[in-house]
């Protein structure tokens, strides 16, 4: 299942490393990444494949949210279809 | 593969602008509940709704979580009650059964206490319409509708006049809440069979046994009532 993970918040050291690390540990494959840093605002979007994940999607969402909270950024994971449904006819 | 601007826009829409909020409505056929014993009909109505919609709220929450979309309202719509109460002297027990079932499954609203009178008001339609003041003020979640016109059949002026009188009665009966029961009634022209929109939602006679929930999105301000 493809999901989109977004990380938005104040930039600090280790965000990419920690999020990627969690995904690696959970056997989630990263398909695409885009990130931007505007002054001190960090925004990262990842397209991932959770078909081989060792956690359920709900557990992954929770783990990412907690990780984000520790780092002071907002991390959300959603199924990728929602973005197609919103933006494409 | 990633369209970053679309993704950020979508997330902004949901989390910051509160612009995308969904409701889900499950349509349930009650044809098999029809009969001439009010207790049996009411019990079947209650059991059917409870069985078919038992997981609706939970699944709605799961969908909300997986897709990151707020679902603020969950509803059930049923076969127009005038059709299934045609052999009863009083359709009110069915409204009560609908209300209890809606509370049991945890949905916010239940629509379909309805009559299709575009080509004439049958006795069953009339009994339902006359029961509306009591039905809508004594129940919490029940929504009602009456279709009084269609392009093909024209406007049934008797139904229109009747609804004019009934709306005033509903307002009087619910005067304690500022006539709030009127909010749970829709008078239609050209009602569609698969309409999921409250207060006018009902599960049309031509529809299948159970329709997978349909969704509607609307801005946060409109939904806050």
């Amino acid at each position: 299942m493809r999901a989109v993970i977004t990380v938005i918040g104040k930039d600090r050291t280790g965000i990419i490393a920690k999020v990627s690390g969690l995904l690696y540990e959970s056997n989630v494959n990263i398909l695409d990444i885009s990130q931007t840093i505007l002054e001190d605002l960090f925004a990262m979007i990842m397209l991932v494949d959770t078909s081989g994940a060792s956690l359920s999607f709900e557990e992954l969402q929770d783990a990412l949210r907690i990780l984000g909270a520790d780092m002071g950024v907002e991390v959300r994971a959603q199924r990728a279809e929602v973005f197609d449904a919103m933006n494409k006819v | 593969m990633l369209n970053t601007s679309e993704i950020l826009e979508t997330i902004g829409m949901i989390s910051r602008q509160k612009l995308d909020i969904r409701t889900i409505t499950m349509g349930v056929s009650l044809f098999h509940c029809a009969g001439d014993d009010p207790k049996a009909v009411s019990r079947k109505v209650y059991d059917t709704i409870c069985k078919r919609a038992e997981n609706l709220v939970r699944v709605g929450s799961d969908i909300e979580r997986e897709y990151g979309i707020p679902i603020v309202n969950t509803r059930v719509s049923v076969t127009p009650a005038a059709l299934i109460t045609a052999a009863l002297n009083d359709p009110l027990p069915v409204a009560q059964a609908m209300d209890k079932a809606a509370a049991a499954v945890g949905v916010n609203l239940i629509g379909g206490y309805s009559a299709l009178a575009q080509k004439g008001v049958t006795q069953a339609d009339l009994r339902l319409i006359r029961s509306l003041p009591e039905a809508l003020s004594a129940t919490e979640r029940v929504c009602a509708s009456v279709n009084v016109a269609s392009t093909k059949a024209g406007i049934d002026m008797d139904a229109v006049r009747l609804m004019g009188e009934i709306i005033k009665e509903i307002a009087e009966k619910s005067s304690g809440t500022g006539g709030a029961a009127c909010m749970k009634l829709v008078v239609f022209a050209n009602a569609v069979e698969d309409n999921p929109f409250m207060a006018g939602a009902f599960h049309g006679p031509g529809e299948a046994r159970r329709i997978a929930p349909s969704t509607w999105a609307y801005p946060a301000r409109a939904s806050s009532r």
Side-chain angles (χ1 to χ4, degrees):
Chain A
M1 188 255 279
R2 295 183 354 150
V4 171
I5 295 172
T6 51
V7 182
I8 299 175
K10 198 164 178 321
D11 187 29
R12 51 169 278 178
T13 320
I15 297 176
I16 299 177
K18 286 196 175 155
V19 174
S20 317
L22 173 62
L23 296 179
Y24 171 69
E25 280 161 24
S26 313
N27 202 37
V28 173
N29 189 24
I30 300 173
L31 301 173
D32 199 355
I33 305 184
S34 170
Q35 78 218 25
T36 189
I37 303 177
L38 278 171
E39 297 196 4
D40 63 351
L41 186 69
F42 176 89
M44 176 167 74
I45 303 172
M46 297 167 127
L47 181 65
V48 302
D49 179 358
T50 62
S51 50
S54 55
L55 308 173
S56 70
F57 190 60
E58 206 174 308
E59 285 166 339
L60 181 66
Q61 285 177 314
D62 285 338
L64 285 166
R65 190 175 37 81
I66 291 166
L67 179 65
D70 283 344
M71 294 191 288
V73 295
E74 195 185 303
V75 183
R76 50 165 78 208
Q78 298 162 263
R79 287 178 69 124
E81 291 100 311
V82 70
F83 300 100
D84 288 338
M86 298 283 199
N87 292 291
K88 297 180 175 54
V89 174
Chain B
M1 269 193 279
L2 280 176
N3 186 326
T4 53
S5 60
E6 275 181 7
I7 289 171
L8 289 173
E9 190 184 332
T10 302
I11 288 176
M13 244 165 52
I14 298 166
S15 61
R16 270 177 285 285
Q17 293 160 25
K18 311 286 185 208
L19 276 182
D20 191 72
I21 294 175
R22 302 269 163 171
T23 68
I24 54 176
T25 306
M26 173 184 274
V28 177
S29 170
L30 296 181
F31 271 124
H32 62 286
C33 303
D36 57 10
D37 173 7
K39 283 206 173 96
V41 172
S42 304
R43 188 176 36 80
K44 280 185 194 170
V45 165
Y46 178 86
D47 288 346
T48 303
I49 295 167
C50 286
K51 181 98 178 69
R52 302 266 161 85
E54 63 181 334
N55 295 319
L56 183 61
V57 172
R58 182 183 56 75
V59 170
S61 299
D62 291 345
I63 292 171
E64 198 175 358
R65 214 184 188 297
E66 269 186 44
Y67 289 92
I69 302 259
I71 294 179
V72 298
N73 220 262
T74 313
R75 298 100 172 256
V76 167
S77 67
V78 300
T79 310
L83 299 178
I84 59 156
T85 58
L88 299 179
N89 290 327
D90 179 13
L92 200 54
V94 166
Q96 291 157 346
M98 284 168 63
D99 200 40
K100 287 201 182 88
V105 299
V107 297
N108 301 97
L109 294 168
I110 180 162
Y113 193 67
S114 305
L116 304 175
Q118 63 273 11
K119 219 174 167 190
V121 180
T122 64
Q123 288 302 312
D125 294 336
L126 192 56
R127 284 191 290 266
L128 184 133
I129 290 169
R130 290 212 188 285
S131 76
L132 286 172
E134 177 66 28
L136 293 180
S137 48
T139 61
E140 208 181 303
R141 293 169 167 84
V142 173
C143 292
S145 51
V146 182
N147 193 46
V148 300
S150 72
T151 305
K152 200 164 168 191
I155 304 174
D156 189 295
M157 297 305 293
D158 291 333
V160 171
R161 181 191 157 171
L162 185 55
M163 288 314 297
E165 292 166 1
I166 290 293
I167 287 170
K168 287 180 71 176
E169 277 183 47
I170 296 170
E172 279 162 24
K173 194 115 183 138
S174 59
S175 57
T177 52
C182 290
M183 286 201 301
K184 298 187 285 173
L185 170 70
V186 173
V187 181
F188 275 117
N190 284 327
V192 295
E193 289 210 45
D194 55 353
N195 165 33
F197 308 123
M198 290 296 175
F202 63 87
H203 187 68
E207 296 286 324
R209 192 179 80 133
R210 174 173 48 180
I211 296 293
S214 60
T215 73
W216 184 244
Y218 53 106
R221 281 187 216 101
S223 76
S224 61
R225 57 186 164 90

